[in-house]
Amino acid sequence: MSSSISMPSISPKVESAAPVAGADTAASKPKPCCVCKDEKAQRDDCMLFSKSDDPTSDCKPIIDQYKTCMAGFGFKI
């Protein structure tokens, strides 16, 4: 006595494949820690090892170079 029971098939819900506008730009934009590494190292060295009483004014050209580099990748600092 075997009886076969027919079970309804349940298919998983399929989400639309339309890309989200915010996700696309976030994926293409690099992380701030991964860009301008040379400029950041120069800025940090200047600030840390400056003999000046005001390292910010002493290192201003290097800081501006770093800010320009970061702005090129879309970061505002």
Side-chain angles (χ1 to χ4, degrees):
M1 291 182 116
S2 100
S3 65
S4 81
I5 300 174
S6 174
M7 298 293 286
S9 65
I10 302 173
S11 60
K13 184 178 179 183
V14 178
E15 297 292 326
S16 67
V20 178
D24 186 36
T25 57
S28 65
K29 187 175 180 180
K31 294 180 180 180
C33 62
C34 300
V35 296
C36 304
K37 289 184 176 186
D38 293 334
E39 291 84 353
K40 183 178 180 179
Q42 290 174 358
R43 179 206 64 182
D44 292 349
D45 287 345
C46 184
M47 294 292 286
L48 289 171
F49 302 114
S50 175
K51 304 292 183 198
S52 174
D53 290 337
D54 186 15
T56 304
S57 64
D58 190 36
C59 301
K60 184 148 178 56
I62 296 171
I63 295 169
D64 289 340
Q65 181 182 6
Y66 175 69
K67 287 182 178 181
T68 302
C69 180
M70 292 297 284
F73 287 97
F75 298 106
K76 297 178 184 176
I77 54 172

